[in-house]
Amino acid sequence: MIIEETQSFCQPKEKWNDFIIINQHSNPTTSLINDKITIFGGNKRQMSSKKVNLLPKYQQIFDEIGENIKLARKRRKLTTEQVSERAGVHRSTLNRIEKGDPSVAIGIYFNVLKVLSLEGDFKNIAKDDVFGRKLQDLDLL
């Protein structure tokens, strides 16, 4: 979607039934566009992600990751405010990570792990690809 912006309003260039009014000198304005919530405040635009549908066994993996991050934060005696500020994210985003929300961007997970000095764990994602190596070996025969 292409958006045309002036100082007082923002209007999509595509054919839409509505437009979004922005007052840059007040609190952010929220509007519903294509099943996504768009928050406008000053020059910042944030789009919330759609819900990610996962099978329960895969959601459990995210739940465990979130719980591990939460335990790591508590072991370091850091508050959610401290970690979120250092990671450059909102506290509610950190809460979503600690609950295992798969719709949070992977870069935000990395920033939180970096604050907790666990960025080395991030490098281990898909590092030991046993199945892929077996497929590669079969292809060489």
Side-chain angles (χ1 to χ4, degrees):
M1 175 174 86
I2 300 171
I3 295 179
E4 180 178 293
E5 184 171 330
T6 67
Q7 192 166 7
S8 62
F9 73 94
C10 182
Q11 182 174 358
K13 286 187 176 181
E14 297 176 0
K15 184 178 178 181
W16 291 58
N17 294 332
D18 61 348
F19 61 93
I20 302 154
I21 304 293
I22 299 175
N23 182 350
Q24 294 191 11
H25 301 292
S26 67
N27 291 333
T29 304
T30 304
S31 177
L32 186 62
I33 299 179
N34 279 359
D35 299 328
K36 289 189 177 184
I37 296 177
T38 307
I39 302 172
F40 294 89
N43 294 328
K44 294 183 180 180
R45 291 191 196 121
Q46 298 172 338
M47 299 282 290
S48 69
S49 300
K50 288 187 176 184
K51 182 167 173 41
V52 177
N53 294 321
L54 292 177
L55 292 173
K57 67 179 182 179
Y58 299 126
Q59 180 58 53
Q60 187 177 6
I61 293 170
F62 275 93
D63 292 343
E64 289 175 18
I65 291 170
E67 185 65 24
N68 290 342
I69 289 172
K70 184 177 185 176
L71 291 173
R73 176 183 60 79
K74 287 184 173 186
R75 278 189 221 99
R76 289 160 178 73
K77 299 186 185 327
L78 295 171
T79 65
T80 55
E81 288 181 8
Q82 291 171 320
V83 173
S84 62
E85 184 178 315
R86 293 175 190 178
V89 299
H90 196 273
R91 200 172 76 192
S92 63
T93 304
L94 178 60
N95 287 334
R96 287 173 48 208
I97 287 172
E98 290 183 351
K99 290 179 181 176
D101 187 345
S103 67
V104 176
I106 193 167
I108 296 174
Y109 272 92
F110 177 77
N111 285 344
V112 171
L113 290 172
K114 188 171 59 173
V115 168
L116 299 172
S117 299
L118 295 172
E119 65 272 9
D121 290 353
F122 196 82
K123 293 190 308 185
N124 291 329
I125 295 174
K127 184 176 182 178
D128 189 22
D129 184 12
V130 175
F131 181 70
R133 292 195 186 273
K134 287 181 181 180
L135 289 174
Q136 187 178 31
D137 290 344
L138 288 174
D139 205 26
L140 294 175
L141 296 177

